[in-house]
Amino acid sequence: MIGPSRPLPGPDELTAPFWAAALEGRLSLQRCTACGRFNHPPVPVCPGCGSLEFSWEDVSGRGAVHSRVIVHAAHTSGFESAVPYTGLAVELDEQPGLILLSNAGPESAAAQAGDRVRVAFERVADEVVLPQFELEADG
Ligand SMILES: [Zn+2]
């Protein structure tokens, strides 16, 4: 597991709805109300159509491994005791190219592109829950 001293996310105006939803066990993403595109991380201007109007919409939390990295060197303070750990880039089912990054448990070290994953919520502080991804049991 990642150590308790790792840095925590600092929600801002753009990302606050994402973190508030995670705290409630929901994966919610910014969605353009003009063209329907999901944007993650959230943006002030839709890269799809230039709109400034967005809503937040819960998504399935299901997707597939896009790529995987094994982190051997703790370049970020707070992760020293965690290395080596696995990072996954996950492409959600809702939209091609909709990528979320996740830490993943040791069982994910052999994950391959295309392996099925689902969201799992990890509480790392009283008011902070991280949406992470884990491999589905039967692929
Ligand atoms: Zn748009």
Side-chain angles (χ1 to χ4, degrees), residues 18 21 25-29 57-61 92 100 119 121 131 133:
F18 176 84
R26 295 181 293 111
L27 185 62
S28 188
L29 299 183
E57 190 169 309
D58 288 1
V59 294
S60 66
L92 294 183
L100 274 73
V119 71
F121 294 94
F133 288 85

Side-chain angles (χ1 to χ4, degrees), residues 32 34-37 46 48-51:
C32 176
C35 74
R37 175 191 169 109
C46 179
C49 73
S51 172

Side-chain angles (χ1 to χ4, degrees), residues 11-89:
D12 60 19
E13 188 177 343
L14 270 177
T15 62
F18 176 84
W19 296 113
L23 201 55
E24 299 173 352
R26 295 181 293 111
L27 185 62
S28 188
L29 299 183
Q30 185 198 53
R31 188 168 203 185
C32 176
T33 56
C35 74
R37 175 191 169 109
F38 287 101
N39 294 303
H40 185 81
V43 291
V45 179
C46 179
C49 73
S51 172
L52 305 176
E53 301 296 325
F54 301 98
S55 61
W56 284 80
E57 190 169 309
D58 288 1
V59 294
S60 66
R62 299 173 69 87
V65 173
H66 177 76
S67 57
R68 169 192 50 118
V69 62
I70 309 291
V71 179
H72 293 278
H75 293 296
T76 303
S77 178
F79 288 77
E80 293 86 349
S81 66
V83 292
Y85 64 89
T86 304
L88 296 178

Side-chain angles (χ1 to χ4, degrees), residues 63-131:
V65 173
H66 177 76
S67 57
R68 169 192 50 118
V69 62
I70 309 291
V71 179
H72 293 278
H75 293 296
T76 303
S77 178
F79 288 77
E80 293 86 349
S81 66
V83 292
Y85 64 89
T86 304
L88 296 178
V90 168
E91 184 175 50
L92 294 183
D93 289 346
E94 275 77 7
Q95 177 179 294
L98 183 60
I99 302 288
L100 274 73
L101 302 178
S102 172
N103 296 315
E107 73 284 355
S108 300
Q112 299 294 315
D115 285 354
R116 297 292 302 168
V117 294
R118 66 174 170 235
V119 71
F121 294 94
E122 180 187 4
R123 182 175 294 273
V124 293
D126 283 349
E127 292 298 315
V128 182
V129 171
L130 302 181

